[in-house]
Amino acid sequence: MTGQVVYSALGPKEVRQLQEVYERARAVKAKYPDSHLASKAAKKLIDAFEAVMHPGEAAFDEKWLSEAEPQGHA
């Protein structure tokens, strides 16, 4: 999650929000047994955050990000 792509495409507020999501997923994973549905979902989130990015590989299409129009709160 600390890759340069994330920091160049997102602002500090968004990076803090992603870090909070990551930390909460880790807390859920620690709280519930591996067989629990919440633990399984948290593991998927953690795995996505910890995925290794190879040099030259984009985490996401920056054009799509610039065209996104988020509405409401997640």
Side-chain angles (χ1 to χ4, degrees):
M1 191 182 85
T2 60
Q4 291 297 322
V5 173
V6 171
Y7 286 106
S8 67
L10 303 174
K13 180 180 176 183
E14 290 83 6
V15 171
R16 281 193 305 273
Q17 288 173 332
L18 287 173
Q19 288 173 334
E20 182 178 350
V21 168
Y22 176 74
E23 291 302 322
R24 288 185 185 210
R26 289 179 51 94
V28 167
K29 180 82 172 101
K31 182 177 180 178
Y32 295 101
D34 289 340
S35 60
H36 195 279
L37 183 61
S39 180
K40 291 178 183 180
K43 182 176 181 346
K44 287 183 181 183
L45 273 172
I46 293 166
D47 289 347
F49 277 108
E50 294 177 349
V52 175
M53 296 299 298
H54 301 288
E57 182 180 331
F60 50 82
D61 183 3
E62 291 183 18
K63 182 180 178 189
W64 171 85
L65 182 63
S66 66
E67 294 172 353
E69 297 179 19
Q71 299 174 357
H73 301 288

mmCIF file of all heavy atoms in Angstrom, residues 25 28-29 34 36-47:
data_model
loop_
_atom_site.group_PDB
_atom_site.id
_atom_site.type_symbol
_atom_site.label_atom_id
_atom_site.label_comp_id
_atom_site.label_asym_id
_atom_site.label_seq_id
_atom_site.Cartn_x
_atom_site.Cartn_y
_atom_site.Cartn_z
ATOM 1 N N ALA A 25 -9.080 -3.884 9.320
ATOM 2 C CA ALA A 25 -9.132 -5.259 8.812
ATOM 3 C C ALA A 25 -8.222 -6.154 9.635
ATOM 4 O O ALA A 25 -8.587 -7.290 9.964
ATOM 5 C CB ALA A 25 -8.749 -5.302 7.331
ATOM 6 N N VAL A 28 -9.986 -6.882 12.932
ATOM 7 C CA VAL A 28 -11.055 -7.873 12.763
ATOM 8 C C VAL A 28 -10.446 -9.261 12.625
ATOM 9 O O VAL A 28 -10.923 -10.227 13.233
ATOM 10 C CB VAL A 28 -11.941 -7.535 11.540
ATOM 11 C CG1 VAL A 28 -12.833 -8.703 11.157
ATOM 12 C CG2 VAL A 28 -12.768 -6.298 11.819
ATOM 13 N N LYS A 29 -9.384 -9.383 11.846
ATOM 14 C CA LYS A 29 -8.714 -10.673 11.639
ATOM 15 C C LYS A 29 -8.206 -11.230 12.967
ATOM 16 O O LYS A 29 -8.295 -12.427 13.227
ATOM 17 C CB LYS A 29 -7.561 -10.495 10.650
ATOM 18 C CG LYS A 29 -6.794 -11.755 10.358
ATOM 19 C CD LYS A 29 -7.509 -12.589 9.316
ATOM 20 C CE LYS A 29 -6.655 -13.743 8.887
ATOM 21 N NZ LYS A 29 -7.027 -14.997 9.515
ATOM 22 N N ASP A 34 -10.336 -17.912 12.203
ATOM 23 C CA ASP A 34 -10.175 -17.964 10.743
ATOM 24 C C ASP A 34 -11.417 -18.459 10.023
ATOM 25 O O ASP A 34 -11.638 -18.113 8.868
ATOM 26 C CB ASP A 34 -8.986 -18.860 10.374
ATOM 27 C CG ASP A 34 -7.653 -18.220 10.746
ATOM 28 O OD1 ASP A 34 -7.616 -16.988 10.927
ATOM 29 O OD2 ASP A 34 -6.667 -18.967 10.845
ATOM 30 N N HIS A 36 -14.503 -17.684 10.710
ATOM 31 C CA HIS A 36 -15.578 -16.694 10.759
ATOM 32 C C HIS A 36 -15.611 -15.885 9.459
ATOM 33 O O HIS A 36 -14.583 -15.561 8.884
ATOM 34 C CB HIS A 36 -15.368 -15.763 11.955
ATOM 35 C CG HIS A 36 -16.561 -14.947 12.311
ATOM 36 N ND1 HIS A 36 -16.887 -13.797 11.649
ATOM 37 C CD2 HIS A 36 -17.507 -15.123 13.265
ATOM 38 C CE1 HIS A 36 -17.988 -13.289 12.178
ATOM 39 N NE2 HIS A 36 -18.379 -14.080 13.168
ATOM 40 N N LEU A 37 -16.830 -15.543 9.013
ATOM 41 C CA LEU A 37 -17.005 -14.806 7.757
ATOM 42 C C LEU A 37 -16.285 -13.455 7.784
ATOM 43 O O LEU A 37 -15.652 -13.058 6.797
ATOM 44 C CB LEU A 37 -18.497 -14.603 7.467
ATOM 45 C CG LEU A 37 -18.843 -13.923 6.156
ATOM 46 C CD1 LEU A 37 -18.321 -14.743 4.981
ATOM 47 C CD2 LEU A 37 -20.340 -13.732 6.044
ATOM 48 N N ALA A 38 -16.358 -12.746 8.903
ATOM 49 C CA ALA A 38 -15.690 -11.448 9.012
ATOM 50 C C ALA A 38 -14.177 -11.593 8.890
ATOM 51 O O ALA A 38 -13.504 -10.755 8.279
ATOM 52 C CB ALA A 38 -16.054 -10.771 10.332
ATOM 53 N N SER A 39 -13.642 -12.662 9.460
ATOM 54 C CA SER A 39 -12.204 -12.906 9.381
ATOM 55 C C SER A 39 -11.781 -13.210 7.943
ATOM 56 O O SER A 39 -10.722 -12.756 7.488
ATOM 57 C CB SER A 39 -11.813 -14.061 10.297
ATOM 58 O OG SER A 39 -10.440 -14.302 10.220
ATOM 59 N N LYS A 40 -12.611 -13.971 7.232
ATOM 60 C CA LYS A 40 -12.307 -14.291 5.833
ATOM 61 C C LYS A 40 -12.313 -13.028 4.974
ATOM 62 O O LYS A 40 -11.438 -12.832 4.122
ATOM 63 C CB LYS A 40 -13.305 -15.304 5.293
ATOM 64 C CG LYS A 40 -13.159 -16.684 5.908
ATOM 65 C CD LYS A 40 -14.209 -17.636 5.379
ATOM 66 C CE LYS A 40 -14.109 -18.995 6.047
ATOM 67 N NZ LYS A 40 -15.115 -19.929 5.559
ATOM 68 N N ALA A 41 -13.294 -12.145 5.190
ATOM 69 C CA ALA A 41 -13.363 -10.888 4.433
ATOM 70 C C ALA A 41 -12.174 -9.991 4.768
ATOM 71 O O ALA A 41 -11.573 -9.375 3.879
ATOM 72 C CB ALA A 41 -14.675 -10.168 4.734
ATOM 73 N N ALA A 42 -11.822 -9.930 6.052
ATOM 74 C CA ALA A 42 -10.676 -9.122 6.470
ATOM 75 C C ALA A 42 -9.391 -9.646 5.848
ATOM 76 O O ALA A 42 -8.535 -8.865 5.415
ATOM 77 C CB ALA A 42 -10.566 -9.119 7.993
ATOM 78 N N LYS A 43 -9.250 -10.966 5.764
ATOM 79 C CA LYS A 43 -8.048 -11.556 5.153
ATOM 80 C C LYS A 43 -7.933 -11.158 3.688
ATOM 81 O O LYS A 43 -6.842 -10.841 3.200
ATOM 82 C CB LYS A 43 -8.061 -13.067 5.292
ATOM 83 C CG LYS A 43 -6.811 -13.715 4.708
ATOM 84 C CD LYS A 43 -6.782 -15.193 4.938
ATOM 85 C CE LYS A 43 -5.550 -15.880 4.400
ATOM 86 N NZ LYS A 43 -4.682 -15.221 3.501
ATOM 87 N N LYS A 44 -9.058 -11.136 2.973
ATOM 88 C CA LYS A 44 -9.032 -10.729 1.568
ATOM 89 C C LYS A 44 -8.591 -9.279 1.431
ATOM 90 O O LYS A 44 -7.800 -8.941 0.531
ATOM 91 C CB LYS A 44 -10.400 -10.930 0.925
ATOM 92 C CG LYS A 44 -10.733 -12.379 0.678
ATOM 93 C CD LYS A 44 -12.065 -12.522 -0.027
ATOM 94 C CE LYS A 44 -12.396 -13.995 -0.248
ATOM 95 N NZ LYS A 44 -13.643 -14.160 -1.002
ATOM 96 N N LEU A 45 -9.072 -8.408 2.309
ATOM 97 C CA LEU A 45 -8.650 -7.012 2.284
ATOM 98 C C LEU A 45 -7.158 -6.881 2.582
ATOM 99 O O LEU A 45 -6.433 -6.168 1.883
ATOM 100 C CB LEU A 45 -9.426 -6.194 3.315
ATOM 101 C CG LEU A 45 -10.747 -5.619 2.874
ATOM 102 C CD1 LEU A 45 -11.473 -5.010 4.063
ATOM 103 C CD2 LEU A 45 -10.553 -4.579 1.799
ATOM 104 N N ILE A 46 -6.711 -7.573 3.617
ATOM 105 C CA ILE A 46 -5.297 -7.516 4.001
ATOM 106 C C ILE A 46 -4.421 -8.018 2.859
ATOM 107 O O ILE A 46 -3.395 -7.407 2.530
ATOM 108 C CB ILE A 46 -5.062 -8.325 5.291
ATOM 109 C CG1 ILE A 46 -5.757 -7.644 6.471
ATOM 110 C CG2 ILE A 46 -3.572 -8.498 5.566
ATOM 111 C CD1 ILE A 46 -5.869 -8.507 7.714
ATOM 112 N N ASP A 47 -4.820 -9.122 2.246
ATOM 113 C CA ASP A 47 -4.053 -9.669 1.119
ATOM 114 C C ASP A 47 -3.980 -8.674 -0.039
ATOM 115 O O ASP A 47 -2.943 -8.542 -0.694
ATOM 116 C CB ASP A 47 -4.659 -10.985 0.642
ATOM 117 C CG ASP A 47 -4.451 -12.124 1.633
ATOM 118 O OD1 ASP A 47 -3.634 -11.961 2.566
ATOM 119 O OD2 ASP A 47 -5.126 -13.162 1.477
#
